[in-house]
Amino acid sequence: QVQLVESGGALVQVGGSLRLSCVASGSMLSINTMDWHRQVPGKQRELVALVTPDGTTNYAGSVKGRFTISRDNALNTVYLEMNSLKPEDTAVYYCHAMSFSRINYWGQGTQVTVSS
């Protein structure tokens, strides 16, 4: 089992920055990819950014160049640095991990609100 706990969500003005953190605990050796998703009411949850164990990253087109995902394997933590925030970035952000056996783990979510 793996537990994920997010933090860092807040209310921020347009153009501002936030850093989200996701601390993982449990069977960390089973974890393959870790990523961030977001969801707004009435819409499907969408992948924002992912990072593999060797540090390879991938981003949704809407956040590329503004968001940076990173992973500290020693601390079992994945970060999402968000810059130049826009109102459309407002969502609940979820940390997600997938094991090598393709089991999915989710955090409880953290609210990011970008005000104009």
Side-chain angles (χ1 to χ4, degrees), residues 39-68:
Q39 188 171 25
V40 298
K43 291 190 176 182
Q44 282 193 323
R45 195 170 294 188
E46 64 171 350
L47 176 65
V48 175
L50 68 83
V51 59
T52 63
D54 66 359
T56 301
T57 59
N58 200 5
Y59 297 92
S62 59
V63 306
K64 196 171 292 185
R66 300 188 297 121
F67 290 11
T68 302

Side-chain angles (χ1 to χ4, degrees), residues 100-115:
F100 288 99
S101 58
R102 303 192 70 78
I103 296 173
N104 291 291
Y105 300 97
W106 292 94
Q108 82 286 353
T110 186
Q111 176 71 46
V112 172
T113 303
V114 184
S115 69

Side-chain angles (χ1 to χ4, degrees), residues 12-64:
V12 64
Q13 290 189 332
V14 169
S17 299
L18 281 176
R19 188 176 82 158
L20 306 183
S21 300
C22 172
V23 179
S25 60
S27 305
M28 294 307 302
L29 291 178
S30 69
I31 292 301
N32 185 7
T33 57
M34 295 188 74
D35 38 73
W36 288 94
H37 295 242
R38 66 186 181 187
Q39 188 171 25
V40 298
K43 291 190 176 182
Q44 282 193 323
R45 195 170 294 188
E46 64 171 350
L47 176 65
V48 175
L50 68 83
V51 59
T52 63
D54 66 359
T56 301
T57 59
N58 200 5
Y59 297 92
S62 59
V63 306
K64 196 171 292 185

Side-chain angles (χ1 to χ4, degrees), residues 66-115:
R66 300 188 297 121
F67 290 11
T68 302
I69 189 170
S70 60
R71 179 170 174 171
D72 187 329
N73 291 323
L75 295 179
N76 294 333
T77 302
V78 62
Y79 304 97
L80 185 68
E81 188 77 34
M82 304 186 294
N83 298 311
S84 302
L85 283 162
K86 304 176 181 180
E88 51 263 43
D89 295 318
T90 296
V92 178
Y93 284 71
Y94 294 91
C95 181
H96 168 258
M98 179 176 285
S99 72
F100 288 99
S101 58
R102 303 192 70 78
I103 296 173
N104 291 291
Y105 300 97
W106 292 94
Q108 82 286 353
T110 186
Q111 176 71 46
V112 172
T113 303
V114 184
S115 69

